[in-house]
C-alpha cells in the first residue's frame, strides 16, 4: 500500500524596522528546525552577519543557514544576482570549510545585475544613499524589458541558454558607452558565471516538490518592512518587495504552505542612507553627519579615534548620545562600513508593522545595548510611544540596568528592568516575544519559552 507523505510548511522571517535588526543571527539560531532556508528578495545589498566562535561570517546573497550543514539553501526568483559578488561569497565560504555543492540552488528566473546597473547606481544612488550594488537599476530594467530597441534585462536562464550571446550583448553595450571599466567587469562576470552556473536550476518545482514531500522552509527576508519599495517612504527605500507576503512570489512557493510569520526588531533602531527616522537621536544633525561620513568614507575607526563614548553618554546632547550608542553597539554598515543613524525604539511603529504585516511572534535583538542608558544623566531607557506621527507621541522612560546586570550565564535570570520593558513591548504589540538578543554571539540569544518565569 502506498503511504502518503505529509506536506511540509513555510515560515517567513522579516525585519520590522529599517534593516540590520540581526535577522541573520535569528535565522542561524532557528535553522536547525528547517530543511530549506530561502531568500526571496534583494541581492548583494544585504549584509547578513553571523558571529561564530572562529570569527564573523558576512553573507550578502547566500541564505544565513550556511552553518547548518544538513540544511539546503535556495535563492528564489525575487532576488537579483550579482555574479562576481556571489562567486566571491562562495569562495569565502569554501575557505571557511563550507562547500555548498549540492546544498545551494538558485532559480534561473533571477535577474542578472549588469555592470551598467552598478555604474548607474553609483552615479545616481547617492541622494538616496543606496549600497551601490546596482539593485535599483536591475529591478527597473526587469520591468522596462527593452531600451533603444534592445533587451535591457537578462535572467540567469538567458545565461543558461547562451551565455556567450548575453555577454556579447553586454560587451557591445559597454563598448558603445566607451567605458573601459565596464568591459573589464564583463570579463570578470564570465569567470564568475563559471563558478555560479552549477548551482542554477531551471526547475520551477524545485521548492514546491520538496515541500509537498514534507520539507520545512524558512524564508529569510532581506532589508526590512520599512524599506519596502511600495510601503516604505519613497524614494528612501530599496527596490524590492520586503513584506512577508512577497516571500511566496519571490521564493517560488504556493502560499498555501504558509504557517507563521516571524518578525525581528532591535531594542534601539538604526537606519543607513537617507529618509525619515522619527526617533533619531540628534535629528537632522545626525542625518547630515552620517550622510557626510558615508560620502567621505569616515567610519568606525575614525569615530573610535575621535570620540569618547562614555563621556558622550554623560553629556546632555542627543547627537552625542546617538554617536555613543553607535560606537558601543557597533552600528556600522556590514557591507559598506558606513555609520548608521541611531534612534530610540519606536513602539508605535513596531505595533503598526506587527498589525499590518500579520506578524505572529517577535525576536528583539541588541537588548544589551540598552545598558548604555544607565550611564546617561537621567538614567532611564527612553522609548517612543503614542499614536502615529502627528498625535500625542512622547517618550517614556523605563528604569535602567548596567552592563554588569546582563547575565553571562545562559541560565541566569534577566535583569528585572529589562523584563519589565520587554513585558510592556509584548503588551503594546499584542504578540509574544520569542527570543531576546543579549549580544552578538550565537550563545547570547535567549529563547523566551526557556525563561517564561522571567517574562511573567
Ligand atoms: P539599495 O537597496 O542598495 O538600492 O539601497 C536603498 C536603501 O536601502 C538605502 O537607504 C540603503 O542603505 C538601504 N538598504 C539596502 N540594503 C540594506 C540592508 O541590508 N540593511 C539596511 N539598509 C539597507
Amino acid at each position: 500500500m502506498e503511504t502518503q507523505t505529509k506536506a511540509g510548511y513555510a515560515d517567513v522571517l522579516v525585519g520590522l524596522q529599517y534593516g540590520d535588526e540581526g535577522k541573520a543571527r535569528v535565522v542561524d539560531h532557528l535553522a536547525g528546525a528547517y530543511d530549506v532556508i530561502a531568500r526571496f528578495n534583494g541581492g548583494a545589498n544585504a549584509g547578513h552577519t553571523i558571529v561564530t566562535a572562529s570569527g564573523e561570517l558576512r553573507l550578502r546573497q547566500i541564505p544565513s543557514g550556511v552553518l547548518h550543514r544538513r540544511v539546503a539553501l535556495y535563492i528564489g526568483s525575487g532576488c537579483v544576482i550579482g555574479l562576481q559578488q556571489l562567486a566571491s561569497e562562495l569562495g569565502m565560504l569554501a575557505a571557511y570549510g563550507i562547500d555548498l555543492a549540492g546544498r545551494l540552488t538558485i532559480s534561473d528566473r533571477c535577474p542578472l545585475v549588469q555592470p551598467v546597473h552598478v555604474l548607474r547606481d553609483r552615479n545616481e544612488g547617492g541622494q538616496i544613499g543606496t549600497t551601490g550594488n546596482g539593485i535599483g537599476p536591475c529591478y527597473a530594467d526587469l520591468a522596462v524589458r527593452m531600451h533603444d530597441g534592445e533587451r535591457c534585462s537578462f535572467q540567469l536562464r538567458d545565461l543558461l541558454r547562451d551565455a556567450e550571446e548575453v555577454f556579447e550583448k553586454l560587451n557591445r553595450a559597454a563598448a558603445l558607452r566607451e567605458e573601459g571599466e565596464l568591459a573589464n567587469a564583463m570579463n570578470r562576470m564570465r569567470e564568475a558565471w563559471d563558478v555560479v552556473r552549477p548551482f542554477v536550476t531551471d526547475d520551477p518545482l524545485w521548492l514546491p516538490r520538496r515541500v509537498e514531500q514534507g520539507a520545512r522552509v524558512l524564508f529569510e527576508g532581506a532589508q526590512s518592512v520599512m524599506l519596502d519599495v511600495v510601503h516604505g517612504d519613497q524614494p528612501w527605500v530599496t527596490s524590492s518587495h520586503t513584506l512577508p507576503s512577497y516571500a511566496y512570489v519571490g521564493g517560488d512557493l504556493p502560499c498555501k504552505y504558509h504557517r507563521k510569520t516571524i518578525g525581528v526588531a532591535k531594542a534601539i533602531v538604526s537606519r543607513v542612507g537617507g529618509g525619515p527616522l522619527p526617533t533619531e537621536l540628534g535629528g537632522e544633525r545626525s542625518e547630515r553627519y552620517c550622510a557626510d561620513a558615508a560620502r567621505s568614507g569616515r567610519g568606525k575607526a575614525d569615530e573610535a579615534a575621535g570620540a569618547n563614548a562614555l563621556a558622550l553618554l554623560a553629556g546632555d546632547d542627543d547627537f552625542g548620545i546617538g554617536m555613543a550608542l553607535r560606537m558601543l553597539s557597533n552600528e556600522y554598515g556590514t557591507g559598506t562600513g558606513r555609520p548608521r543613524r541611531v534612534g530610540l525604539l519606536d513602539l508605535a511603529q513596531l505595533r503598526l508593522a506587527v498589525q499590518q504585516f500579520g506578524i505572529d511572534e517577535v525576536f528583539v535583538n541588541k537588548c544589551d545595548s540598552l545598558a548604555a542608558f544607565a550611564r546617561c544623566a537621567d538614567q532611564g531607557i527612553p522609548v517612543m510611544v503614542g499614536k502615529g506621527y502627528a498625535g500625542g507621541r512622547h517618550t517614556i522612560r523605563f528604569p535602567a540596568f548596567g552592563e554588569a546586570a546582563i547575565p553571562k550565564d545562559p541560565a541566569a535570570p534577566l535583569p528585572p528592568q529589562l523584563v519589565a520593558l520587554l513585558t510592556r513591548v509584548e503588551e503594546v504589540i499584542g504578540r509574544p516575544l520569542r527570543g531576546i538578543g543579549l549580544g552578538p554571539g550565537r550563545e547570547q540569544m535567549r529563547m523566551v519559552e526557556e525563561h517564561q518565569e522571567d517574562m511573567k
Side-chain angles (χ1 to χ4, degrees):
M1 204 175 76
E2 220 175 90
T3 52
Q4 210 166 4
T5 326
K6 193 164 171 279
Y9 54 79
D11 294 342
V12 182
L13 178 144
V14 294
L16 296 175
Q17 292 150 336
Y18 301 91
D20 307 311
E21 299 94 347
K23 296 181 283 294
R25 63 97 58 110
V26 177
V27 171
D28 175 50
H29 195 84
L30 299 176
Y34 294 91
D35 302 297
V36 184
I37 309 293
R39 283 271 305 263
F40 62 89
N41 75 306
N45 49 348
H48 292 166
T49 308
I50 306 169
V51 180
T52 74
S54 41
E56 278 190 1
L57 207 54
R58 292 178 183 200
L59 302 168
R60 302 175 77 175
Q61 298 181 83
I62 294 175
S64 304
V66 282
L67 292 175
H68 299 259
R69 290 170 197 256
R70 189 194 56 76
V71 172
L73 308 170
Y74 181 71
I75 300 181
S77 62
C79 300
V80 293
I81 299 292
L83 281 181
Q84 285 148 257
Q85 287 136 323
L86 185 53
S88 66
E89 212 171 314
L90 287 163
M92 178 271 291
L93 287 171
Y96 203 85
I98 300 173
D99 177 8
L100 292 186
R103 274 187 67 199
L104 171 68
T105 304
I106 307 171
S107 164
D108 71 342
R109 262 62 170 178
C110 292
L112 178 69
V113 178
Q114 303 167 25
V116 69
H117 293 151
V118 176
L119 199 73
R120 229 152 70 202
D121 194 19
R122 296 203 170 144
N123 288 339
E124 293 163 15
Q127 251 179 309
I128 298 172
T130 68
T131 63
N133 287 290
I135 307 298
C138 182
Y139 280 114
D141 273 355
L142 177 72
V144 168
R145 297 152 295 164
M146 293 193 71
H147 183 65
D148 282 344
E150 299 271 357
R151 280 185 71 184
C152 58
S153 174
F154 298 96
Q155 293 167 296
L156 297 186
R157 61 174 158 174
D158 295 308
L159 289 176
L160 282 183
R161 210 175 290 135
D162 191 341
E164 262 323 297
E165 189 188 324
V166 174
F167 288 130
E168 268 312 305
K169 280 185 181 157
L170 297 182
N171 239 339
R172 268 203 308 280
L176 281 178
R177 289 182 176 83
E178 293 175 355
E179 303 268 9
E181 200 187 321
L182 279 179
N184 286 339
M186 218 73 65
N187 290 335
R188 292 196 298 272
M189 267 179 96
R190 275 198 176 88
E191 290 169 16
W193 172 239
D194 288 340
V195 176
V196 171
R197 185 194 171 115
F199 298 96
V200 180
T201 182
D202 62 357
D203 178 6
L205 296 180
W206 190 91
L207 194 54
R209 193 180 307 111
R210 276 166 179 73
V211 178
E212 199 47 42
Q213 290 165 357
R216 300 155 299 170
V217 179
L218 178 62
F219 283 116
E220 170 185 25
Q223 295 76 50
S224 288
V225 299
M226 300 301 288
L227 293 177
D228 181 80
V229 64
V230 176
H231 288 275
D233 290 301
Q234 277 273 359
W236 297 284
V237 291
T238 191
S239 299
S240 68
H241 298 274
T242 61
L243 307 181
S245 305
Y246 195 76
Y248 293 90
V249 182
D252 312 319
L253 187 71
C255 55
K256 68 175 186 172
Y257 296 111
H258 185 65
R259 188 180 69 150
K260 68 176 174 183
T261 311
I262 303 165
V264 183
K266 193 156 70 171
I268 52 170
V269 299
S270 71
R271 179 166 195 162
V272 275
L277 178 59
T279 63
E280 184 162 9
L281 282 157
E284 277 177 25
R285 184 175 162 207
S286 162
E287 182 177 2
R288 264 198 316 277
Y289 167 88
C290 290
D292 286 348
R295 259 193 299 277
S296 61
R298 249 177 309 133
K300 185 174 173 171
D302 305 275
E303 290 201 336
N308 177 334
L310 300 188
L312 289 172
L313 284 176
D316 58 2
D317 175 13
D318 276 355
F319 173 82
I321 293 174
M323 181 184 283
L325 277 174
R326 175 165 56 243
M327 293 168 73
L328 293 173
S329 46
N330 200 26
E331 291 290 354
Y332 300 91
T334 311
T336 59
R338 294 183 284 180
R340 296 178 185 149
R341 300 156 60 195
V342 171
L344 304 179
L345 177 62
D346 186 336
L347 272 187
Q349 188 186 71
L350 191 62
R351 181 180 53 192
L352 182 62
V354 164
Q355 291 172 343
Q356 192 177 352
F357 307 120
I359 306 299
D360 295 302
E361 57 190 38
V362 174
F363 284 75
V364 183
N365 274 322
K366 285 214 169 168
C367 290
D368 52 313
S369 67
L370 299 175
F373 289 110
R375 295 179 180 271
C376 289
D378 39 21
Q379 289 204 351
I381 302 173
V383 170
M384 182 68 85
V385 293
K387 291 193 188 71
Y389 297 130
R393 279 168 69 71
H394 58 282
T395 306
I396 54 171
R397 284 183 193 276
F398 289 86
F401 56 91
E403 286 138 56
I406 301 168
K408 303 269 178 296
D409 173 359
L414 297 174
Q417 300 92 330
L418 177 59
V419 173
L421 190 153
L422 293 174
T423 304
R424 184 79 189 118
V425 171
E426 264 191 334
E427 283 165 10
V428 171
I429 65 176
R431 292 290 182 279
L433 298 189
R434 174 135 178 248
I436 294 161
L438 293 172
R442 288 179 103 187
E443 71 297 344
Q444 290 169 300
M445 166 70 74
R446 284 225 186 171
M447 297 304 284
V448 169
E449 56 268 19
E450 293 158 16
H451 292 273
Q452 285 297 349
E453 326 78 71
D454 295 351
M455 288 293 298
K456 296 287 171 218

